[in-house]
């Protein structure tokens, strides 16, 4: 591809992939005066942080993949002048008791007494609400201490630990960092249901058990609690596309060039990037190449083979020298978007659907159900019941619906089904598996409703029900996340082990590969996972720290 290129032009930085992280990196670098080219394969930038008209002829712009924001630092919003609104939800979670759907746990941040009563109503042991509150308060001591480090040069483990100790978070460090998080959850909490609610934070997008020794579930748990120091998950007003849209605007306003429908075909040594655009091959070069694509995708573009380790994960030649040995870890979810005529009635008559769907709605996610589901999936089958969590965007932010849909009372639902590892999905079975998973999600949902969800689905102008289901393979095909892993691969601690080299800006910022000119700027960077723009910020900081400021001084 690099022979006979249509054009050769030089930039300070080329960013491979225009996901929200690539856009953030572009905005920072362009603001610092660098000449930046972003190459995005799809027609629109944003990657997995986008809104879409998912149903033909229906004016509802759904957050198609990611939907809630926790990890986007205020500092990045301010630095880049992003005009986004993140709405806080009153209700934390609602969890029906699978043994008796007429009772449920409602964690209401606005009503402590009602929440305490709700713990009792689901048969939690005496003192469970206090233990639950104390557990999260202890976790918060650690997350508040570590959060500011996410956008700073990496700490070594012992320095991070010392920071935690100064914040009085020794116990939380032990529980969250040193031992499988399942130990602390089962030690501090007695109810199967309450334990399950807590454990889900360790399992979103991660195929793991509570007691796994490799601690992937702990890292996932930490990321779910660390955002803003508080772990609040907020609703992006206007949908996730509004977040990427603002990052795109900031990058363009600062002078970055963003080329869409530009498919990068090779990343070559010396900062050369080949791509196809407008039916022709092009080649551009830069002093820096920032990879917003997953590390495994970068390896393919660099024509480097990947190797399987004994643990089943695959590391690659590039990964070996980079920050994450875990890049081929599979995704483990099914995502379903629905548009409803109205919210469904619940089996539990004591809570309004608005309250139940106002926070995260957990279904079939008790501790033992999660473990059963893991074992079923590990044995090669779709779990039944399928653990699911649901979120209703339109209750908090109706602006994603047309005025007509709003007036008619329509609501969106997003379902994230857990423990569906990518190994269950193949190119051959994807269609059938998608149908099976959709049926499993609907069955799980219906297990807590007083009426079938199918009856409430709106239809598009051709009479098709407004429901779309995405397997891990669908997600890989749509946005290039390897094996549908929503974080581009396994997550890493937000610190390095003692003795790991921090001798270059790229290593200090957790964005290094084995080529000093190529940096990771996406979810695959250390600390880059989720909608946070942290990967983009940190890669840009590494570039700017590596060289004197350019034109804008
Ligand atoms: C179903 C789902 C639900 C999620 N829910 C949440 C949530 O609620 N909150 C949250 O914080 N996170 C969530 N996540 C995770 C989050 O969306 C991602 O971690 C984040 O969007 C990754 O951003 P990124 O910019 O690093 O990469 P991506 O969004 O993956 O962007 C990479 C970009 O590179 C492009 N690309 C790929 N190959 C090429 C090529 N050869 N040439 C040019 N361009 C290329 C892709 O098209 C894409 O636009 C979810 C993810 C999924 C899939």
């Amino acid at each position: 591809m690099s022979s006979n290129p249509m054009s050769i032009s030089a930039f300070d930085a080329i960013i491979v992939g225009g996901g929200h992280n690539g856009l953030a990196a572009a905005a920072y670098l362009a603001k610092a005066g660098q000449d930046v080219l972003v190459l995005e394969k799809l027609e629109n930038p944003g990657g997995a942080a986008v809104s879409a008209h998912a149903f033909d002829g229906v004016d509802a712009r759904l957050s198609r993949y990611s939907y809630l924001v926790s990890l986007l630092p205020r500092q990045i919003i301010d630095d880049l002048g992003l005009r986004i609104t993140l709405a806080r939800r009153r209700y934390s979670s609602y969890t029906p008791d699978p043994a008796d759907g007429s009772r449920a746990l409602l964690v209401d941040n606005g009503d402590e007494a009602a929440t305490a009563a709700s713990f009792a109503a689901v048969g939690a042991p005496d003192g469970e609400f206090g233990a639950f509150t104390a557990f999260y308060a202890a976790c918060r001591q650690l997350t508040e201490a570590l959060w500011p480090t996410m956008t700073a040069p990496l700490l070594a483990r012992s320095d991070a630990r010392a920071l935690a100790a100064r914040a009085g978070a020794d116990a939380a460090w032990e529980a969250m960092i040193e031992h499988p998080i399942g130990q602390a959850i089962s030690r501090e909490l007695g109810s199967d249901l309450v334990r399950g609610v807590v454990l889900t934070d360790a399992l979103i997008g991660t195929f793991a058990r509570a007691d796994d020794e490799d601690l992937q579930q702990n890292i996932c748990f930490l990321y779910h609690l660390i955002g803003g120091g508080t772990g609040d998950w907020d609703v992006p007003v206007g949908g996730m596309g509004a977040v990427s849209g603002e990052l795109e605007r900031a990058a363009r306003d600062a002078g970055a060039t963003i080329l869409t429908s530009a498919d990068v075909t090779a990343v070559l040594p010396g900062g050369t990037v080949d791509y196809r655009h407008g039916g022709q091959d092009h080649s551009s070069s830069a002093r820096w190449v920032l990879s917003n694509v997953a590390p495994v995708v970068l390896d393919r573009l660099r024509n480097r083979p990947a190797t399987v380790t004994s643990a089943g994960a695959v590391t690659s030649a590039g990964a070996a020298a980079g920050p994450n040995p875990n890049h081929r870890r599979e995704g483990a979810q099914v995502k379903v978007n629905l548009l409803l005529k109205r919210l469904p009635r619940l089996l539990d008559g004591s809570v309004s659907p608005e309250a139940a769907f106002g926070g995260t709605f957990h279904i079939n996610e008790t501790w033992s159900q999660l473990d059963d589901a893991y074992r079923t999936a590990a044995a090669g089958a779709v779990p039944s019941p399928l653990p699911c969590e649901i979120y209703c965007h339109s209750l908090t932010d109706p602006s994603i619906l047309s005025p007509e849909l709003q007036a008619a009372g329509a609501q969106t639902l997003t379902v994230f089904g857990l423990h569906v590892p990518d190994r269950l999905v193949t190119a051959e079975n994807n269609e059938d598996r998608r149908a099976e998973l959709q049926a499993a999600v609907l069955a799980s949902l219906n297990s807590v409703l007083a009426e079938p969800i199918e009856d409430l689905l709106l239809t598009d102008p051709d009479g098709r029900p407004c429901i779309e289901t995405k397997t891990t393979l669908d997600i890989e095909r749509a946005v290039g996340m390897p094996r549908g892993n929503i974080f581009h691969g396994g997550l890493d601690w937000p610190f390095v082990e003692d003795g790991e080299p921090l001798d270059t800006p790229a290593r200090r910022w957790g964005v290094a590969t084995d080529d000093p000119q190529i940096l990771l700027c996406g979810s695959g960077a250390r600390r880059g996972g989720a909608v946070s723009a942290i990967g983009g910020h940190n890669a840009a900081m590494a570039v700017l720290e590596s060289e004197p400021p350019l034109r804008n001084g």
Side-chain angles (χ1 to χ4, degrees):
M1 286 290 191
S2 58
S3 58
N4 300 323
M6 281 301 295
S7 58
I8 297 186
S9 41
F11 292 87
D12 294 314
I14 297 176
I15 300 180
V16 178
H20 85 285
N21 266 314
L23 298 169
Y28 271 104
L29 292 177
K31 271 174 87 80
Q34 297 216 346
D35 222 350
V36 181
L37 173 65
V38 179
L39 299 169
E40 167 53 46
K41 181 178 185 164
L42 301 177
E43 278 176 28
N44 295 300
V50 287
S51 300
H53 284 106
F55 310 114
D56 286 343
V58 180
D59 195 2
R61 276 178 60 76
L62 277 67
S63 300
R64 188 166 233 164
Y65 307 107
S66 53
Y67 41 101
L68 291 171
V69 175
S70 175
L71 290 146
L72 176 61
R74 186 77 236 170
Q75 177 202 329
I76 294 181
I77 296 175
D78 293 344
D79 285 351
L80 299 180
L82 306 179
R83 298 190 287 258
I84 56 179
T85 306
L86 301 174
R88 187 70 31 101
R89 298 176 299 169
R90 164 172 170 177
Y91 298 97
S92 172
S93 65
Y94 174 77
T95 312
D97 181 351
D100 175 1
S102 68
R103 56 186 208 170
L105 175 68
L106 179 67
V107 180
D108 177 353
N109 297 327
D111 192 338
E112 199 172 305
T115 302
S118 184
F119 273 79
V122 292
D126 283 351
E128 186 89 328
F129 176 51
F132 177 86
T133 309
F135 178 84
Y136 278 113
C139 293
R140 188 165 168 165
Q141 282 182 296
L142 180 63
T143 55
E144 282 181 346
L146 291 183
W147 172 242
T149 73
M150 297 279 284
T151 43
L154 280 163
L155 296 179
R157 173 183 282 258
S158 54
D159 293 331
R161 178 162 199 156
L163 183 71
R166 285 197 295 280
D170 270 325
W173 179 280
E174 282 295 316
M176 293 171 73
I177 313 277
E178 299 293 341
H179 306 286
I181 190 66
Q183 292 179 10
I185 297 173
S186 53
R187 187 177 59 239
E188 303 299 332
L189 301 164
S191 150
D192 194 46
L193 184 144
V194 176
R195 287 176 176 178
V197 169
V198 177
L199 181 60
T200 56
D201 281 339
L203 302 180
I204 299 292
T206 302
F207 190 54
R209 292 178 90 168
D211 292 328
D212 279 352
E213 290 294 334
D214 71 0
L215 304 184
Q216 270 293 307
Q217 76 282 20
N218 285 49
I219 304 178
C220 183
F221 189 74
L222 178 62
Y223 274 83
H224 274 87
L225 266 57
I226 200 171
T230 61
D232 286 314
W233 285 85
D234 295 333
V235 177
V237 172
M240 204 50 102
V243 176
S244 289
E246 270 300 287
L247 286 162
E248 179 185 357
R249 184 195 57 74
R252 286 193 195 277
D253 283 359
T257 303
I258 300 172
L259 217 53
T260 54
S261 304
D263 186 4
V264 173
T265 52
V267 173
L268 304 167
T272 299
V273 175
D274 291 350
Y275 61 100
R276 266 194 87 69
H277 178 64
Q280 290 175 322
D281 295 331
H282 302 259
S283 189
S284 291
S285 60
R287 285 179 301 129
W288 298 97
V289 175
L290 271 55
S291 170
N292 184 199
V293 298
V296 168
V297 177
L298 175 64
D299 285 335
R300 275 203 297 272
L301 294 174
R302 293 175 72 196
N303 198 19
R304 297 162 71 93
T307 48
V308 183
T309 68
S310 54
V314 179
T315 71
S316 60
N324 191 335
N326 215 5
H327 290 150
R328 270 302 284 177
R329 190 172 272 269
E330 66 195 320
Q333 76 288 331
V334 59
K335 171 83 198 271
V336 182
N337 288 315
L338 308 93
L339 184 61
L340 304 179
K341 294 171 195 161
R342 57 172 169 77
L343 288 179
R345 285 183 286 112
L346 304 168
L347 279 181
D348 169 11
S350 68
V351 168
S352 72
E354 287 72 20
F357 287 96
T360 300
F361 190 141
H362 299 273
I363 304 180
N364 294 313
E365 291 193 328
T366 66
W367 173 270
S368 47
Q369 283 179 313
L370 287 166
D371 201 51
D372 288 348
Y374 178 91
R375 281 187 283 109
T376 302
V382 172
S384 176
L386 190 70
C388 290
E389 25 206 289
I390 306 180
Y391 142 77
C392 173
H393 185 108
S394 48
L395 266 179
T396 309
D397 168 33
S399 75
I400 62 165
L401 300 175
S402 67
E404 295 73 27
L405 284 171
Q406 287 182 38
Q411 299 285 357
T412 61
L413 284 192
T414 279
V415 184
F416 194 94
L418 269 61
H419 285 340
V420 187
D422 181 61
R423 70 190 75 169
L424 298 182
V425 183
T426 64
E428 291 70 40
N429 77 6
N430 192 40
E431 297 292 312
D432 293 343
R433 198 58 106 189
R434 189 189 303 118
E436 181 187 0
L437 289 169
Q438 181 168 302
V441 163
L442 295 181
S444 198
L445 244 166
N446 282 333
S447 72
V448 296
L449 301 182
E451 55 188 338
I453 191 81
E454 290 87 338
D455 292 355
L456 298 177
L457 285 171
L458 278 168
T459 50
D460 72 13
D462 292 330
R464 287 173 301 208
C466 292
I467 177 168
E468 70 163 10
T469 298
K470 301 283 184 193
T471 65
T472 45
L473 183 58
D474 294 333
I475 286 171
E476 173 158 6
R477 286 176 173 162
V479 286
M481 294 176 149
R483 309 187 72 194
N485 190 310
I486 69 171
F487 306 123
H488 288 187
L491 291 166
D492 265 325
W493 294 118
F495 47 80
V496 293
E497 296 307 320
D498 290 342
E500 266 188 59
L502 292 173
D503 51 341
T504 65
R507 286 180 175 154
R508 276 196 291 282
W509 286 96
V511 298
T513 70
D514 61 345
D515 183 328
Q517 267 183 292
I518 304 176
L519 308 181
L520 301 175
C521 74
S523 258
R526 192 181 278 270
R527 310 181 285 186
V531 177
S532 67
I534 291 175
H537 168 272
N538 289 356
M541 293 306 116
V543 167
L544 298 175
E545 204 177 295
S546 301
E547 57 192 21
L550 296 174
R551 298 172 196 83
N552 293 350

